[in-house]
Amino acid sequence: MNLEQNRNEDSMRLQISRMESRLGEIMLGGGKKNIEKLHAKGKMTARERIDALLDPGSERLEIGGFAGYDMYQEQGGCPSGGVVVVMGYVSGRQCLVVANDATVKAGAWFPITGKKNLRAQEIAMENRLPIIYLVDSAGVFLPMQDEIFPDKENFGRIFRNNAIMSSMGITQIAAIMGSCVAGGAYLPIMSDEAIIVKKTGSIFLAGPYLVKAAIGEEIDAETLGGAHTTNAISGICDYEAEDDADCLLKVREIMGKLGAPASAGFDRIKPAAPALDELEILGTIPEDPSKPYDMEIIIRRLVDDSQFEEYKAEYGKSILCGYARIDGWAVGIVANQRKVVKNAKGELQFGGVIYSDSADKAARFIMNCNQKKIPLVFIQDVTGFMVGSKSEHGGIIKDGAKLVNAVANSVVPKFTIIAGNSFGAGNYAMCGKAYDPRLIVAWPNARIAVMGGAQAAKTLVQIEVASLKAKGKEISPEDEQQMLADITAKYDEQMSPYYAAARLWVDGIIHPLDTRKWVSMGIEAANQSPIEKAFSTGVIQV
């Protein structure tokens, strides 16, 4: 390993360490004091419940661990969006678990909480995965009710999804392990089966205080909607449990009796580790994100036996396309080539830029993968499409549209890894969040924005200076430099993967060496949802 690779690896390890440290703080939820209060009531935390529910030693993926990161600071913060979402295995069956974190504002719903719950339901619907709700929530966070209650993608959409999933035959199990009040009461009762824990679980549309205020009736929570009431009197729950542990055991018993899932028929053989050292990925990604590198080095350290069958290797070299296997699953890989290459005419093409020939090649490859029922893996490190008169005259917009069309209409499952830059229309063409990847994750060095920070800051400064001068104000060179520094700092913050993960533009920030696990478990989930729609691009210019 040379000096530059050592520097690259040190930089990446530092970023990984920072990520893991931040995630460790997030996992404390509302803090140790609130955890102790929960334990004093005989209750487990959300993460303890998930640990007890999932099969011991089994793999798991946490979805949206950084949701809400550095947001809602005036309200005291909302670690992990106040809800923990995990894809894992219960009684041998792959599923999603959604657990309210009662240590964060008593499990109240912030806007990001609703968005994260909807993302979990979206994953369940796309992949026809069973979903388990571990309910313990005080309901909508009232100071922000206007941002969580009334809109299409707000709180009510969750209950709509409950109904849609039921009609699709997707198993939904609700465990009422704490408070379940107001509109939130519909979620467990719209699930297929509901279990409630004695003494700590309760469910009602209006709690004792609201009942007293509304109709003058005095009643305690247990009598109003506790375990005995909901099982013996109203009949809205199906089982009662002695405590959290007993409740989770009952969920496992239900999951253990589910019928076998359907199969989409994606090809899988015996998995094999990469033949080349995966750790070399850490030393390959440059410390300076503007520097070139060979993306093929990364690919061959992610795929089984390091075997990558490249498609149209001599054409459209700024995008690498090819077939491989990840953990035994057949995949088609579309990745931005970051090194400078020469086309057939001997012209240099910049790394990370999409040219017309590359867009044409990638679109054709995506069509082939759809024809063969092969899942797609996009590895993004893209600065955008090539600009200038030569590209425009050559039809870059047409070829870019062809690629976007193929990505948008693809019917095989897509998975996106942001391994570096994700700028402008390159984000779209390489299957950004708007193009429905089944899972999308970022490495700690990722940057996501409409353009690079330096270009954006200079553009914004030019606009601001022109606007001030038009108003008759004089701007000194020192003022202009300060404006540039301020705008650059703000833009850099917004490019951060943490900014993206906080808002669920990505499902997580992951260690690069966990990429294989994310893709493998994602395809395993997708394999339970047979493809029902034929692939068609509609009208497309060739």
Side-chain angles (χ1 to χ4, degrees):
M1 186 179 287
N2 60 37
L3 184 61
E4 184 176 0
Q5 288 171 323
N6 278 327
R7 249 194 328 264
N8 292 342
E9 182 172 337
D10 287 346
S11 174
M12 180 62 83
R13 287 190 181 279
L14 181 62
Q15 293 181 79
I16 291 168
S17 175
R18 186 182 300 124
M19 174 197 72
E20 291 174 343
S21 175
R22 289 174 176 175
L23 195 55
E25 292 177 9
I26 287 168
M27 286 182 172
L28 290 174
K32 292 181 180 179
K33 286 186 178 179
N34 285 334
I35 291 173
E36 289 169 2
K37 287 179 183 177
L38 212 63
H39 287 165
K41 295 176 183 177
K43 296 164 68 175
M44 300 177 181
T45 66
R47 293 183 183 277
E48 288 168 345
R49 287 167 176 168
I50 291 174
D51 288 343
L53 178 63
L54 296 181
D55 295 346
S58 62
E59 296 280 21
R60 66 174 72 179
L61 304 175
E62 179 163 351
I63 310 294
F66 282 98
Y69 180 76
D70 213 19
M71 294 169 65
Y72 312 117
Q73 293 306 303
E74 291 182 2
Q75 292 79 23
C78 187
S80 212
V83 62
V84 185
V85 176
V86 170
M87 180 187 289
Y89 301 87
V90 175
S91 298
R93 186 67 176 267
Q94 192 178 25
C95 61
L96 279 171
V97 183
V98 180
N100 298 114
D101 187 346
T103 70
V104 180
K105 292 286 191 295
W109 290 61
F110 283 69
I112 196 65
T113 316
K115 188 173 183 178
K116 187 169 175 179
N117 275 265
L118 288 171
R119 176 58 178 151
Q121 290 183 322
E122 180 182 41
I123 293 170
M125 287 190 283
E126 285 179 330
N127 300 293
R128 295 182 179 268
L129 282 183
I131 186 166
I132 300 166
Y133 306 102
L134 307 182
V135 186
D136 192 347
S137 171
V140 167
F141 183 62
L142 291 178
M144 303 187 76
Q145 64 86 25
D146 61 318
E147 297 181 48
I148 181 61
F149 170 68
D151 209 349
K152 180 180 179 180
E153 299 298 330
N154 283 172
F155 196 53
R157 188 78 172 181
I158 292 164
F159 315 136
R160 175 263 188 193
N161 286 349
N162 287 141
I164 297 298
M165 282 192 282
S166 184
S167 72
M168 293 171 67
I170 297 171
T171 297
Q172 299 176 85
I173 302 168
I176 303 161
M177 309 180 79
S179 177
C180 187
V181 64
Y186 284 104
L187 184 147
I189 306 311
M190 292 189 73
S191 299
D192 301 332
E193 293 182 275
I195 308 159
I196 187 168
V197 179
K198 292 180 180 179
K199 297 182 181 179
T200 58
S202 60
I203 180 168
F204 28 64
L205 291 181
Y209 293 116
L210 185 54
V211 168
K212 171 71 173 175
I215 63 174
E217 181 184 1
E218 292 192 11
I219 189 169
D220 63 87
E222 186 67 21
T223 306
L224 185 62
H228 176 74
T229 298
T230 54
N231 276 274
I233 300 174
S234 68
I236 64 174
C237 290
D238 306 300
Y239 313 94
E240 56 182 306
E242 295 297 324
D243 52 26
D244 280 9
D246 183 45
C247 181
L248 297 170
L249 180 61
K250 285 179 170 21
V251 174
R252 289 184 56 81
E253 289 171 348
I254 293 170
M255 286 291 293
K257 296 177 178 64
L258 297 187
S263 174
F266 302 131
D267 185 65
R268 192 182 197 188
I269 62 173
K270 184 179 179 180
L276 299 172
D277 187 358
E278 294 177 76
L279 284 172
E280 291 176 359
I281 292 173
L282 308 185
T284 300
I285 299 291
E287 180 181 17
D288 179 351
S290 67
K291 282 191 174 182
Y293 65 92
D294 188 352
M295 178 60 81
E296 189 174 343
I297 293 174
I298 304 293
I299 293 172
R300 290 192 181 275
R301 284 152 183 80
L302 288 175
V303 300
D304 292 14
D305 283 325
S306 300
Q307 294 298 308
F308 178 59
E309 183 185 343
E310 192 171 354
Y311 172 83
K312 290 185 183 288
E314 298 302 314
Y315 179 70
K317 292 182 179 180
S318 75
I319 290 184
L320 293 169
C321 299
Y323 301 104
R325 290 187 182 274
I326 293 180
D327 200 34
W329 294 104
V331 295
I333 295 175
V334 181
N336 302 110
Q337 176 56 285
R338 279 302 313 272
K339 72 178 183 180
V340 178
V341 296
K342 280 186 179 181
N343 64 15
K345 298 176 184 177
E347 299 167 328
L348 289 178
Q349 294 185 337
F350 299 107
V353 179
I354 301 176
Y355 292 79
S356 283
D357 53 357
S358 302
D360 176 72
K361 176 176 81 171
R364 174 79 181 195
F365 179 72
I366 290 167
M367 294 176 194
N368 281 344
C369 288
N370 275 273
Q371 184 85 346
K372 297 174 182 177
K373 288 211 311 187
I374 299 175
L376 287 159
V377 177
F378 292 83
I379 306 177
Q380 289 194 13
D381 194 345
V382 58
T383 53
F385 284 85
M386 190 59 189
V387 298
S389 59
K390 186 174 181 180
S391 291
E392 299 293 359
H393 296 170
I396 185 68
I397 295 176
K398 177 188 68 177
D399 292 316
K402 187 191 307 181
L403 174 54
V404 170
N405 194 312
V407 173
N409 283 298
S410 184
V411 296
V412 295
K414 299 166 292 194
F415 303 89
T416 302
I417 315 300
I418 303 177
N421 299 314
S422 180
F423 293 157
N427 171 282
Y428 302 159
M430 293 295 293
C431 197
K433 183 66 181 289
Y435 290 80
D436 298 320
R438 297 293 176 96
L439 294 171
I440 176 171
V441 292
W443 290 357
N445 59 303
R447 303 191 304 164
I448 305 165
V450 73
M451 65 176 72
Q455 302 96 308
K458 288 176 183 176
T459 302
L460 290 168
V461 165
Q462 289 172 13
I463 294 170
E464 182 68 15
V465 168
S467 174
L468 291 171
K469 286 183 176 178
K471 296 175 182 176
K473 296 182 180 179
E474 288 297 323
I475 305 298
S476 70
E478 292 77 17
D479 290 338
E480 194 169 328
Q481 283 301 311
Q482 186 59 53
M483 288 170 60
L484 180 62
D486 292 344
I487 291 173
T488 299
K490 182 177 180 181
Y491 202 86
D492 285 346
E493 177 190 350
Q494 293 179 353
M495 284 199 301
S496 159
Y498 297 98
Y499 192 91
R503 290 153 182 80
L504 290 174
W505 300 347
V506 295
D507 293 316
I509 305 170
I510 69 167
H511 193 303
L513 301 191
D514 284 336
T515 301
R516 281 170 54 85
K517 180 175 76 170
W518 275 80
V519 173
S520 177
M521 286 185 66
I523 298 177
E524 182 184 353
N527 198 44
Q528 299 179 48
S529 180
I531 297 172
E532 297 173 349
K533 181 182 176 183
F535 175 71
S536 172
T537 59
V539 177
I540 187 169
Q541 294 191 43
V542 295

